[in-house]
Amino acid sequence: MARKLTINDYKTNVWVDWCPGCGNFGILSAMYQAFADLQLDPEKTVVVSGIGCSGKTSHFINVSGVHTLHGRSLPYAEGIKLANPDLTVVVNVGDGDLLGIGAAHFVALGRRNVDLVVIMHNNTVYGLTKGQASPTLARGLHPKALPKPNLQDAVNPIGLAIASGYTFIARGYAARVQHLKELIKKAIQHKGSAFIDVLQPCVTYDNIHTYDYYNKRVYDLQEEGWDPIVKSLEEFPQKAAQALIKSYEGDGRIPIGIFLVNPHVPTFEERYAQRLPNYLKVPPAKEPIEVDGKTVITMRRFKELFGKYIIEFKQ
Amino acid sequence: MNELRYILGGPQGGGLETLSELLSWAYAHAGYGVISDREYFSNIKGRHSYIHATVSATELPRHLTYPVDVVAAMDAETVFTHFDDLRDGGYIIYNSDDDNVSFTSIPSMERDLRERLTSEFKELGVDGTVKSVVKYLQSNRKVRAVGLSFKELLMEIEKREGIVPSQASRYISTILAGAVAAITGINEEDLDYSLKRRFVREDLYRHNRAMANIVIEAVKGQFGSELKLDKSSVKVPGVLVASGNDIIAMAKTVAGVRFQAYYPITPAADESFTLEEYEALSGEGSIVVFQTEDELAAINAAIGAALTGARSSVATSGPGFDLMVEGLGWAGQNEVPVVVTYYQRGGPSTGQPTRGGQSDLLSSVFASHGEYPRIVLASGDHEETFYDAIDAFNYAETYQVPVIHLVDKFLANTIATIPLPNLDGIRIVRGNLAPKGLSGYKRFDLSSVISPRAFLGDYVMWYSGDEHDEYGHIDEDPINRIRMFDKRMKKLDMIEKEIPEERRYSYFGSERPDIVMVGWGFVKGAALKAIEELNGEGIKASYYHIRMFIPFPRESITKIAREVGVDKLVAVEHNYQAQASRLVAMNTGITIGKSVVKYTGRPIYVHELVNAIKNIMRGSVREVMSYGA
Amino acid sequence: MVNENDEFVPHAIHTWFGYLKVRGVIVTRDEGAKYGQYARDTQERIKNALSTYGWVYCVDCRKPLFDLNEALEHAKRGHLLTNEFMRDEVAAEEVPMVS
């Protein structure tokens, strides 16, 4: 493919049916720009999405898209990536999808460090089902769409990501598209599980966390000199603790940027490669299993493999 | 005229709900019967949405049909989508500012429809603008066109009264409400009632009252009230005007439900929201309405609550039910009374989240590995639903089994006038409860099929998903296994014996039918009306309405099949496989070879059902219906 | 009473009308368009919007635009561009649950 791809090449003709003004427009814009900057091959790139407004993202990007079940994007994404590690896999999920019904899978992915990117569209509500509190809405808050104030506390996504083992942890904001674009690029280039919590105003159901609200509060960690990189395994607990404390910052300040990067953890693919010498060279998706309709496990190979089960009789 | 049918259409989020309420409450207040269905996309703002209603002066209607008398359009997309739904001589109310909008310039219209319209407009010789469609309707179908300039009206109100900007779309709703009120001759008093009900704020009421007045004057002046309904002859002391979701929530409070766990899913969660609104029962009680992180948590939390003696339920739809299947098995194994209110939507998988269907019957009857007793009932209309919801809990506690109450999106989202329920006739049956003062309590006491049930907190007891002994401890002994398994499965024999056949079905129509429709759920409304219309054409039809699937109405269907002949039976269902007819075959050996089905996600309408039945009588064995946007 | 610095924000669904923030009145879109967010200093403002928000919304076409040239094209055709819409308290009540 000789021609350079532009952001227009990454758009589909599907009508973007998010509410006018939705924070998702910004996230989509950042994805288009990041994909174009990195010149991702559309055929080798897969966007996996869940259920919710963010779930529609895969239909708006002209790369392969897998619009999965509620809370299950990560297992789908892991299946895709582990069967063919040559694919670039980016997951777009909502906060409810990822940290409510999908929380078990979120934690499990952190333990594996599979090389993919998880972008969480964090709008504090379950938009498509009429605006119920999601796992990231703080207790006591009462967005107008809710009948009563929220009874449940918010989970700390950055903290949960740290404890689960994500090796690239960042936060972005839908109305700071340049900054978000760079985060997405770095996340894609990072080797391991990358998590980006993206603040996404919901213009229909959340009258609290508006663009104005975030504009007044977000600030760039890196601009304030925050160094997210873990220099050695020994340094990890201290760096992790600092990042955790930072993630609880209050006083009307919301840090965006990269919280933590840990390059010292082998990816899940690398761990498989330790036991499966051929895994990265010829992944499962590419494995030849037949020649002219005949199995590659010939009788000779079968006897070699399963010798200990076999008794052969002399005729 | 004694029946009025209308379509109200507009972009989602644009004021359709307000418009629909203004009209339905006005008609209901005037004593008319109303049924009002909402069709919408899985989208928050912008896509096309419409209300399809039947208003009757002679009955509380349960049916929807085409063509309609009025199409009231908030936008151009509505005109293009529904112009063909109008009868000759009907009314189209629309925004004349949209005259030059072409159907090709509507981003929210799906490609499929646009392509169909391209060929249709070509055939009709229409250039595809709103103006040309309206003109076509006027000249070819004698339709009356009520074109109102929304811009002028809005600016007029801004000048005269002012507009509350954050409530701006209300005023658009009122434009159309006024126009429909004018041509259908809604009384001043009835319209004012619904305006006051909807616009509690004084300024909003005043503004919208003024808007309605302007529109009514203009429209009445030009068109009169030709579609005014006859005075209502519906004689009921009172009605509930509510959606299926609301009705079930109300029924649950009456049934004594005090714990409901749910995860938001269309079209079930509105029930939980209504329940939550009344959770404190005006200060006299508590219903814990628990929003969980997923459906796995919901079913298991509900089961936990049931173990303590609280009447407990979940409300969900297909994708959610699938996640609850494991929990259901635990409830069956542990003889827990828990009710699953199952609202069916288009499947499989994510399917059609905002559309209806009846394709989860087999799933409800068979779901969960292993074998255990359950009861499955299904409701045909809002009135049935109220009483069925209460029965569900009585059955659950009497037999100590999970109960699945099947309803659907059609019921959930249609608002209907139903007679005020009779609460005097309702019994709350708690089943075999363990007495106080026992020692060595055995939850799974084998001396009776239904063991005396104590609650957590009364005695020490155990539960386990594993096969267990009478105390609830794990027990792998083969003889115990047989005894425990038999104990549970024998409940099905008791259920079979004790729940009368008449409770499991209803039969409507001719005793000597030419054709018998066999259906369940929302089919009922269309089928009953179809019988009337077919009768008018000399065809004697009847409708066999299945109300319970476990226990199955084996005897009655067998009798009917024998008396009229199997070839006179036709399955009518909102699913592909005619699932209920498969259960008929499984339970009785009778194969219903003919089917009339609809699986587009829209409800079966009377006119297409009548047509399909006539085709069946002419020799067709399968009719697939597809009317409706 | 015309204020040159007035700002017009359209209704998100009924895009044929909107709100003038300074005058505090509802006006038709035809009247308000000249006070639209991108009616003046179009190129500069669009550039800014694209580098912060990453999009501008074309009210006529009902879609977000992500590219400067495309946005200028729409502006040249007289389409109304905006990032902001009228505050709407009604939508949350009007929209059913849809998933």
Side-chain angles (χ1 to χ4, degrees):
Chain A
M1 196 181 14
R3 180 175 69 83
K4 194 161 181 272
L5 296 173
T6 66
I7 65 170
N8 285 320
D9 293 302
Y10 292 102
K11 293 189 207 163
T12 61
N13 287 329
V14 179
W15 182 54
V16 177
D17 68 346
W18 290 322
C19 303
C22 178
N24 281 334
F25 289 170
I27 300 177
L28 187 59
S29 179
M31 304 248 321
Y32 287 149
Q33 293 180 52
F35 284 19
D37 278 5
L38 293 175
Q39 287 294 294
L40 293 184
D41 180 352
E43 291 176 359
K44 297 256 181 309
T45 309
V46 186
V47 169
V48 182
S49 61
I51 296 294
C53 295
S54 60
K56 311 252 177 115
T57 306
S58 50
H59 297 287
F60 304 144
I61 306 183
N62 195 20
V63 302
S64 285
V66 185
H67 184 182
T68 68
L69 299 171
H70 200 24
R72 317 294 164 208
S73 298
L74 296 189
Y76 277 87
E78 291 171 61
I80 293 169
K81 183 72 183 184
L82 294 176
N84 188 349
D86 297 331
L87 299 173
T88 300
V89 179
V90 178
V91 182
N92 286 80
V93 275
D95 45 6
D97 191 294
L98 188 68
L99 299 177
I101 186 169
H105 305 305
F106 183 70
V107 171
L109 175 60
R111 292 164 49 215
R112 298 175 186 138
N113 200 29
V114 177
D115 181 19
L116 49 83
V117 176
V118 181
I119 299 176
M120 180 174 81
H121 298 226
N122 185 354
N123 67 356
T124 74
V125 295
Y126 287 111
L128 278 183
T129 49
K130 239 162 121 165
Q132 293 78 38
S134 85
T136 54
L137 184 70
R139 176 165 37 108
L141 288 189
H142 189 180
K144 276 230 167 90
L146 253 64
K148 309 202 174 162
N150 180 24
L151 282 181
Q152 307 189 54
D153 284 305
V155 68
N156 173 349
I158 303 290
L160 189 57
I162 295 171
S164 306
Y166 284 79
T167 51
F168 178 104
I169 302 173
R171 175 183 288 136
Y173 169 41
R176 284 231 197 154
V177 75
Q178 297 302 325
H179 181 258
L180 179 56
K181 170 189 80 162
E182 290 303 321
L183 290 180
I184 295 176
K185 282 161 67 177
K186 292 200 173 81
I188 290 175
Q189 287 162 329
H190 170 79
K191 288 246 150 302
S193 294
F195 170 62
I196 310 178
D197 168 18
V198 184
L199 306 171
Q200 176 229 323
C202 170
V203 294
T204 298
Y205 293 111
D206 188 355
N207 58 320
I208 299 174
H209 307 93
T210 59
Y211 285 107
D212 271 341
Y213 174 92
Y214 283 129
N215 287 340
K216 290 192 179 83
R217 290 166 172 78
V218 299
Y219 73 94
D220 187 350
L221 276 173
Q222 270 67 57
E223 265 174 28
E224 296 207 350
W226 181 268
D227 175 16
I229 304 194
V230 175
K231 304 285 184 295
S232 67
L233 272 176
E234 290 74 42
E235 209 203 353
F236 177 75
Q238 183 212 1
K239 255 319 212 282
Q242 281 170 350
L244 183 64
I245 293 173
K246 196 43 135 165
S247 73
Y248 278 109
E249 185 164 35
D251 292 328
R253 300 230 306 158
I254 301 178
I256 62 174
I258 306 173
F259 283 75
L260 193 64
V261 178
N262 185 356
H264 306 286
V265 181
T267 64
F268 206 57
E269 297 89 304
E270 283 165 350
R271 300 177 212 177
Y272 267 123
Q274 294 285 334
R275 337 202 290 223
L276 308 168
N278 258 350
Y279 173 68
L280 292 172
K281 269 181 288 178
V282 186
K286 300 278 168 60
E287 271 270 319
I289 61 172
E290 54 87 22
V291 178
D292 288 332
K294 289 212 177 107
T295 167
V296 300
I297 308 292
T298 58
M299 202 60 216
R300 189 182 52 81
R301 278 189 73 192
F302 188 89
K303 286 185 186 176
E304 272 171 22
L305 280 170
F306 301 113
K308 77 172 192 194
Y309 294 96
I310 300 175
I311 301 177
E312 291 202 79
F313 299 101
K314 294 201 174 43
Q315 292 310 319
Chain B
M1 59 187 260
N2 59 27
E3 185 173 288
L4 168 72
R5 298 194 287 270
Y6 56 79
I7 291 225
L8 313 168
Q12 266 164 232
L16 210 55
E17 197 60 37
T18 299
L19 168 57
S20 174
E21 273 207 27
L22 286 174
L23 292 175
S24 356
W25 281 93
Y27 291 122
H29 190 252
Y32 297 116
V34 180
I35 184 167
S36 178
D37 170 41
R38 178 163 198 164
E39 294 295 325
Y40 52 109
F41 275 75
S42 179
N43 153 262
I44 297 175
K45 279 185 186 166
R47 287 253 195 217
H48 179 60
S49 182
Y50 67 97
I51 304 287
H52 176 204
T54 304
V55 182
S56 170
T58 55
E59 60 178 351
L60 299 178
R62 291 188 186 87
H63 66 280
L64 296 161
T65 193
Y66 284 93
V68 297
D69 303 291
V70 182
V71 168
M74 263 188 202
D75 63 358
E77 188 168 0
T78 304
V79 176
F80 297 125
T81 310
H82 296 283
F83 78 94
D84 221 2
D85 292 331
L86 257 181
R87 66 161 168 86
D88 289 2
Y91 283 76
I92 184 158
I93 305 171
Y94 68 103
N95 184 359
S96 55
D97 302 332
D98 283 340
D99 269 346
N100 294 315
V101 174
S102 164
F103 77 105
T104 52
S105 70
I106 301 186
S108 44
M109 183 183 283
E110 287 184 306
R111 184 176 36 93
D112 315 77
L113 178 59
R114 193 166 33 248
E115 283 170 9
R116 288 199 293 271
L117 287 176
T118 305
S119 33
E120 203 180 334
F121 286 157
K122 200 152 122 206
E123 254 182 68
L124 296 176
V126 154
D127 72 22
T129 56
V130 168
K131 194 168 49 186
S132 67
V133 171
V134 170
K135 210 151 115 215
Y136 160 79
L137 288 173
Q138 285 173 303
S139 39
N140 295 58
R141 309 265 210 89
K142 299 198 178 48
V143 163
R144 316 292 184 78
V146 183
L148 298 163
S149 166
F150 285 17
K151 275 187 202 161
E152 277 179 30
L153 287 165
L154 200 65
M155 291 301 103
E156 183 67 32
I157 281 297
E158 172 68 278
K159 212 172 44 186
R160 280 203 212 178
E161 302 280 342
I163 292 175
V164 178
S166 61
Q167 301 267 333
S169 63
R170 307 272 198 204
Y171 300 74
I172 313 302
S173 310
T174 305
I175 293 176
L176 289 177
V180 177
I183 51 180
T184 63
I186 292 181
N187 282 339
E188 189 36 51
E189 181 201 339
D190 297 319
L191 183 61
D192 205 49
Y193 166 80
S194 70
L195 280 167
K196 281 215 170 79
R197 193 177 175 277
R198 193 53 167 153
F199 301 121
V200 175
R201 270 174 65 164
E202 202 278 322
D203 54 355
L204 275 182
Y205 165 73
R206 203 169 13 98
H207 298 174
N208 283 282
R209 176 75 267 186
M211 175 68 104
N213 288 344
I214 296 175
V215 173
I216 290 175
E217 208 187 300
V219 174
K220 247 195 190 147
Q222 212 191 336
F223 295 91
S225 303
E226 195 196 55
L227 296 185
K228 188 175 167 74
L229 283 165
D230 299 338
K231 191 157 170 336
S232 171
S233 57
V234 180
K235 296 272 173 276
V236 277
V239 290
L240 272 176
V241 184
S243 69
N245 285 131
D246 296 332
I247 299 277
I248 294 181
M250 293 182 225
K252 284 187 178 177
T253 61
V254 171
V257 174
R258 295 299 178 257
F259 186 95
Q260 168 134 316
Y262 79 100
Y263 182 76
I265 187 168
T266 307
D270 274 328
E271 181 204 300
S272 299
F273 302 153
T274 302
L275 208 53
E276 200 175 42
E277 219 185 302
Y278 300 98
E279 62 184 359
L281 295 171
S282 310
E284 290 170 4
S286 325
I287 306 178
V288 169
V289 180
F290 186 37
Q291 181 191 322
T292 55
E293 59 273 27
D294 56 30
E295 286 89 347
L296 288 143
I299 185 68
N300 293 308
I303 291 171
L307 297 179
T308 69
R311 277 198 159 183
S312 172
S313 59
V314 291
T316 191
S317 189
F321 179 79
D322 291 345
L323 294 179
M324 295 183 179
V325 166
E326 186 190 35
L328 211 58
W330 199 97
Q333 174 74 311
N334 284 284
E335 309 192 40
V336 184
V338 67
V339 173
V340 177
T341 311
Y342 192 159
Y343 292 87
Q344 300 168 91
R345 66 190 221 180
S349 190
T350 312
Q352 298 179 305
T354 60
R355 314 256 175 216
Q358 291 181 284
S359 53
D360 302 327
L361 175 57
L362 295 180
S363 179
S364 334
V365 165
F366 296 117
S368 206
H369 63 281
E371 307 164 290
Y372 63 93
R374 79 193 81 180
I375 289 177
V376 179
L377 55 149
S379 302
D381 57 34
H382 294 66
E383 209 179 336
E384 258 182 45
T385 294
F386 185 89
Y387 298 106
D388 286 349
I390 300 171
D391 282 349
F393 291 92
N394 287 341
Y395 291 141
E397 291 200 313
T398 301
Y399 299 104
Q400 296 174 16
V401 291
V403 173
I404 299 174
H405 179 192
L406 280 170
V407 286
D408 51 47
K409 175 261 173 195
F410 310 126
L411 194 78
N413 287 156
T414 44
I415 303 213
T417 42
I418 69 164
L420 276 178
N422 172 16
L423 298 186
D424 291 333
I426 289 174
R427 295 274 154 270
I428 303 295
V429 180
R430 306 227 57 193
N432 187 5
L433 296 180
K436 302 254 179 326
L438 290 178
S439 62
Y441 173 69
K442 298 177 189 170
R443 172 66 186 93
F444 303 101
D445 194 326
L446 280 167
S447 42
S448 52
V449 171
I450 312 285
S451 315
R453 181 165 71 108
F455 308 142
L456 289 177
D458 292 343
Y459 296 113
V460 174
M461 66 191 85
W462 290 269
Y463 289 97
S464 173
D466 286 89
E467 189 57 86
H468 42 259
D469 63 19
E470 292 179 282
Y471 293 95
H473 290 303
I474 301 175
D475 188 329
E476 302 196 38
D477 182 76
I479 305 302
N480 176 75
R481 168 68 162 175
I482 292 178
R483 298 176 72 201
M484 272 302 162
F485 214 94
D486 286 1
K487 171 200 198 292
R488 290 188 296 265
M489 297 307 273
K490 283 211 169 77
K491 291 186 194 181
L492 288 172
D493 298 334
M494 285 184 74
I495 288 167
E496 177 60 42
K497 213 159 53 164
E498 294 177 7
I499 296 182
E501 184 82 9
E502 300 76 61
R503 175 60 183 83
R504 311 178 196 180
Y505 80 102
S506 303
Y507 186 83
F508 303 92
S510 174
E511 287 301 321
R512 286 179 207 278
D514 300 319
I515 188 146
V516 182
M517 295 178 276
V518 179
W520 58 288
F522 207 70
V523 172
K524 182 181 179 187
L528 293 187
K529 202 38 100 160
I531 291 176
E532 275 180 42
E533 290 195 17
L534 289 164
N535 209 34
E537 300 190 37
I539 298 171
K540 287 187 295 177
S542 66
Y543 173 55
Y544 181 89
H545 179 60
I546 303 177
R547 296 184 58 208
M548 293 190 82
F549 289 94
I550 301 178
F552 197 82
R554 214 170 288 123
E555 274 177 33
S556 51
I557 185 86
T558 305
K559 183 159 173 280
I560 288 168
R562 215 182 327 112
E563 283 174 4
V564 310
V566 183
D567 52 306
K568 293 219 180 77
L569 302 180
V570 56
V572 180
E573 307 190 45
H574 292 90
N575 59 57
Y576 183 93
Q577 301 174 84
Q579 294 189 8
S581 72
R582 308 248 169 157
L583 290 177
V584 170
M586 180 174 149
N587 279 285
T588 64
I590 296 168
T591 305
I592 300 177
K594 305 188 174 121
S595 57
V596 166
V597 295
K598 187 167 188 182
Y599 44 91
T600 61
R602 283 70 169 170
I604 292 175
Y605 302 114
V606 181
H607 75 299
E608 61 184 346
L609 179 57
V610 166
N611 217 41
I613 294 297
K614 295 207 288 220
N615 285 343
I616 294 284
M617 297 193 69
R618 285 190 209 109
S620 164
V621 296
R622 182 167 166 90
E623 292 288 304
V624 177
M625 301 175 285
S626 60
Y627 197 91
Chain C
M1 189 191 45
V2 173
N3 184 329
E4 279 311 311
N5 295 320
D6 215 331
E7 243 186 273
F8 174 76
V9 282
H11 192 270
I13 300 169
H14 301 293
T15 54
W16 51 271
F17 72 86
Y19 186 66
L20 281 177
K21 285 183 167 184
V22 174
R23 231 172 92 196
V25 284
I26 301 282
V27 292
T28 63
R29 176 254 168 93
D30 299 326
E31 223 197 298
K34 54 180 163 307
Y35 304 103
Q37 260 178 291
Y38 300 97
R40 287 156 289 184
D41 299 325
T42 307
Q43 179 145 346
E44 208 41 52
R45 291 193 185 184
I46 292 180
K47 255 204 201 138
N48 278 339
L50 290 178
S51 71
T52 47
Y53 284 99
W55 55 273
V56 288
Y57 191 83
C58 176
V59 173
D60 288 74
C61 300
R62 288 166 72 195
K63 65 186 213 180
L65 306 172
F66 302 98
D67 174 69
L68 179 61
N69 291 330
E70 198 186 2
L72 290 173
E73 247 312 290
H74 285 248
K76 206 158 61 178
R77 278 187 246 150
H79 292 189
L80 177 65
L81 303 179
T82 188
N83 281 97
E84 211 191 313
F85 299 87
M86 280 176 68
R87 219 186 95 217
D88 187 353
E89 286 173 358
V90 181
E93 269 181 59
E94 274 288 330
V95 182
M97 51 165 37
V98 295
S99 173

